[in-house]
Amino acid sequence: MASMRRPSLLILSALALGPLHGYAVIKEVSRLSADQVRLAAGTLYAALDRLSDEGLVEVDREETVDGRLRRYYRLTGPGATALAAEAEQMRRDAQMVTQRLRGAGPAGAPSPA
């Protein structure tokens, strides 16, 4: 399985605690990324459509608020599995990098064997 793009990872992470509507997903992604990732509405909904097509998220419910339709999305079982697998792969990668850096000498040069 290919690595997940960061926006997808953050969207799935935002939904991990429960269903959210689009604007709430945008705000949570911004919070989770320490404001490094700011999704535009069009980008979010394109990603949600793709994640839905992949079976990772689904519509939880719809409600009308101030005359506008608000759609809530939730993480599916396969979405939670994919998110957990990605987190585990990231953990292993970070561990490998940390181990390699510990073995590096000055200026990142490998230490003599």
Side-chain angles (χ1 to χ4, degrees), residues 33-101:
S33 70
D35 292 325
Q36 290 181 348
V37 176
R38 294 183 182 157
L39 298 174
T43 302
L44 171 69
Y45 289 108
L48 286 169
D49 285 345
R50 183 178 44 75
L51 293 168
S52 179
D53 289 345
E54 293 171 4
L56 304 179
V57 302
E58 63 189 9
V59 174
D60 181 70
R61 68 185 183 279
E62 295 177 342
E63 64 185 24
T64 303
V65 177
D66 296 328
R68 297 189 63 181
L69 183 65
R70 182 177 285 175
R71 183 172 289 149
Y72 287 77
Y73 294 87
R74 68 181 171 100
L75 193 62
T76 62
T81 299
L83 182 59
E86 185 70 14
E88 178 58 23
Q89 183 61 54
M90 291 172 74
R91 186 197 63 74
R92 287 193 307 268
D93 290 347
Q95 182 178 28
M96 176 272 302
V97 169
T98 301
Q99 288 172 347
R100 291 187 64 89
L101 286 172

